[in-house]
Amino acid sequence: MSNSTLAAPQLGFGNVSKARAARMNTPDSKRAIQIPGTKGLPAVKAVAGQKSERGVKPFPTKQSIVLCNSVAAMLDAQIPLSRALEFYSARLTKEDLRLTLKSITVAVDRGDDNHKAFAGTGRFDSTFIGLVRAGTMASNLSAALRALARRMKTNAEFLAKLRKALLTPSGVLVFLWGLLIYSMTGLIPNVEKMLKDMRVEPDAFSGTVFGFSHFFQVTYIPATIGMITFALVCWRSRSFRDLMSRMIMSRWRLLRRIVMGFRQLTFIGTFEMLIANNIPIADSLETCARTLKNTPLEKELLEVKLKVALGMNLGEAIRRYTSVDPQLSHMIEIGEKASNLPEQLRLLRDLYEEDTAQQIEFFTGFVGILSKVVTVALIGGIYLGTYLPIIMAGVKLMSAGM
């Protein structure tokens, strides 16, 4: 990726009287020079800069949802894509977003494929690019953009619910970790010393608490450093987050079903749109694979494409060479035999949308309850570990006095 400086006396987005320079990220110098000499930007000079350390930032999710719905409405009104993007960009206040859309507009006007124009900005993921390509192939780009908006909205709502379920308990757990450190390194040793001074033998529970305190005092510093390091690596490294996600998914069936639901829903929606518009099955499968780039389904669908080209039935190939749910391959097989495959795919799409939404609700509710249970357990453990030895010692002293 390269940063490109666009020096523009007149950017063409509103009244700009003074010369100024705008910086945007582009995949290469070729993309940067697409803007000069176009309508609205007559005097822009593009200069390729040094590489950005962080790379290109993705197009904001909320803006992407509004963009897809707005452009889809204009496409339904027979407004060309380049003009629809131009009309939409006029309402944006952030200059980098306007320049991104302007770059797409220029690329489309110059004859680039729609999906290549979006991909050239480096700000849209493979699913977005794949669905734009599928919508263009099916001559139904507005439907593809609306499907994208639905998918992004569902994903954003899931992440918002998950953050809501985890944010407060996570803050409480951080506080409790600090309280646990204070208790095990300060309060518990004082209680142990007090009992020794009083020459009172600790009971079994108190002895266990004191033993854990000794262990905790040795390990809490490296444990704290490890947790902070883990959090930082998760925050900074996408590959590490993906690795952790795969590990958790392999152990947690519910999360695996949600992720697979999203992937299968993307496959079904894309495949249905293409098949309904008479796109050949081989081309449809290849486009679906590109839409699901960097997922196991990408290679699986390409394998299905090869098997179908060799004469195998689509439903059988999906059942044997993919990891999708059995009901999905079964209904595709029925649709293939009954010659109503688009109808079966629409039924599957509606089914998976409803099923995925229900699983998300259950997952976020379960995570919220689980985090509260862990919080209460930690509070109870700290309280009992701190005060119960004192209470038990008092009972022993009273018994001895009697």
Side-chain angles (χ1 to χ4, degrees):
M1 301 294 176
S2 65
N3 285 336
S4 301
T5 300
L6 307 178
Q10 179 68 31
L11 287 178
F13 299 109
N15 296 323
V16 181
S17 58
K18 295 182 179 180
R20 59 176 175 170
R23 179 173 291 275
M24 68 178 293
N25 291 318
T26 58
D28 49 41
S29 299
K30 180 181 176 182
R31 181 64 61 184
I33 64 175
Q34 285 184 334
I35 295 180
T38 60
K39 182 179 179 182
L41 296 172
V44 173
K45 182 181 179 182
V47 181
Q50 296 179 348
K51 283 189 176 182
S52 171
E53 294 180 0
R54 294 189 178 182
V56 179
K57 292 182 179 180
F59 207 84
T61 301
K62 290 183 179 179
Q63 290 287 355
S64 295
I65 294 172
V66 178
L67 169 67
C68 289
N69 285 325
S70 299
V71 172
M74 286 187 273
L75 290 175
D76 287 339
Q78 305 302 316
I79 298 174
L81 176 61
S82 59
R83 300 288 77 78
L85 291 171
E86 190 174 330
F87 294 153
Y88 178 79
S89 65
R91 60 183 285 187
L92 295 176
T93 57
K94 293 186 177 180
E95 192 167 39
D96 68 316
L97 302 185
R98 292 202 304 269
L99 290 173
T100 297
L101 296 184
K102 186 62 182 179
S103 175
I104 299 170
T105 300
V106 171
V108 172
D109 283 339
R110 293 187 179 181
D112 286 2
D113 294 334
N114 293 337
H115 69 281
K116 291 181 179 179
F118 280 93
T121 66
R123 304 192 67 174
F124 299 91
D125 62 20
S126 58
T127 301
F128 193 106
I129 304 303
L131 278 172
V132 169
R133 184 176 189 269
T136 304
M137 289 177 63
S139 300
N140 198 358
L141 183 56
S142 60
L145 291 175
R146 287 195 174 91
L148 273 168
R150 285 198 306 272
R151 179 187 180 279
M152 287 186 290
K153 184 178 179 181
T154 302
N155 196 18
E157 289 176 349
F158 170 58
L159 292 177
K161 290 177 181 178
L162 189 59
R163 280 194 296 267
K164 184 178 179 181
L166 291 176
L167 186 59
T168 300
S170 297
V172 173
L173 289 176
V174 171
F175 170 76
L176 288 177
W177 179 252
L179 186 60
L180 184 64
I181 292 174
Y182 173 69
S183 174
M184 291 296 165
T185 60
L187 294 179
I188 299 297
N190 290 335
V191 173
E192 184 178 12
K193 183 176 181 301
M194 180 183 69
L195 293 182
K196 285 183 179 179
D197 292 342
M198 297 169 62
R199 297 181 181 179
V200 176
E201 285 294 326
D203 60 282
F205 176 80
S206 299
T208 303
V209 172
F210 296 152
F212 178 75
S213 174
H214 299 158
F215 170 78
F216 188 84
Q217 291 175 49
V218 176
T219 59
Y220 82 93
I221 292 179
T224 302
I225 294 174
M227 287 187 287
I228 294 174
T229 303
F230 178 80
L232 289 174
V233 173
C234 286
W235 177 46
R236 301 289 295 179
S237 174
R238 182 187 180 94
S239 59
F240 185 76
R241 290 198 302 269
D242 292 341
L243 175 63
M244 293 303 301
S245 298
R246 288 194 294 269
M247 291 178 60
I248 295 173
M249 284 172 56
S250 65
R251 301 288 182 180
W252 197 347
R253 184 170 177 268
L254 177 59
L255 181 60
R256 184 169 65 251
R257 287 185 62 188
I258 291 174
V259 174
M260 282 300 298
F262 275 118
R263 292 174 180 172
Q264 291 175 144
L265 188 55
T266 300
F267 163 60
I268 295 166
T270 306
F271 196 59
E272 184 272 328
M273 180 171 54
L274 293 168
I275 294 297
N277 287 275
N278 300 317
I279 304 299
I281 288 178
D283 293 339
S284 300
L285 288 170
E286 183 177 351
T287 301
C288 290
R290 292 184 181 183
T291 304
L292 292 159
K293 190 176 180 180
N294 299 324
T295 69
L297 278 178
E298 179 187 10
K299 293 182 179 179
E300 294 173 358
L301 291 176
L302 291 176
E303 181 69 18
V304 170
K305 176 189 173 184
L306 292 176
K307 298 302 179 182
V308 170
L310 293 175
M312 184 178 291
N313 291 332
L314 174 63
E316 183 182 358
I318 290 177
R319 175 170 50 82
R320 293 178 60 180
Y321 297 101
T322 69
S323 56
V324 300
D325 295 340
Q327 67 173 351
L328 192 154
S329 58
H330 179 65
M331 291 188 70
I332 287 179
E333 207 164 358
I334 292 174
E336 190 179 18
K337 291 179 180 178
S339 300
N340 67 342
L341 184 56
E343 180 63 27
Q344 292 295 325
L345 291 170
R346 279 191 288 271
L347 291 173
L348 276 170
R349 183 193 62 195
D350 296 340
L351 174 65
Y352 274 92
E353 282 182 348
E354 182 179 353
D355 186 51
T356 303
Q358 291 176 352
Q359 289 175 2
I360 288 172
E361 288 290 337
F362 180 79
F363 178 82
T364 52
F366 175 77
V367 169
I369 293 173
L370 180 62
S371 61
K372 290 179 177 62
V373 169
V374 172
T375 301
V376 172
L378 278 174
I379 293 174
I382 292 173
Y383 179 81
L384 291 176
T386 303
Y387 295 106
L388 194 58
I390 299 175
I391 296 172
M392 298 298 293
V395 172
K396 278 192 172 185
L397 288 174
M398 291 177 64
S399 300
M402 295 175 62

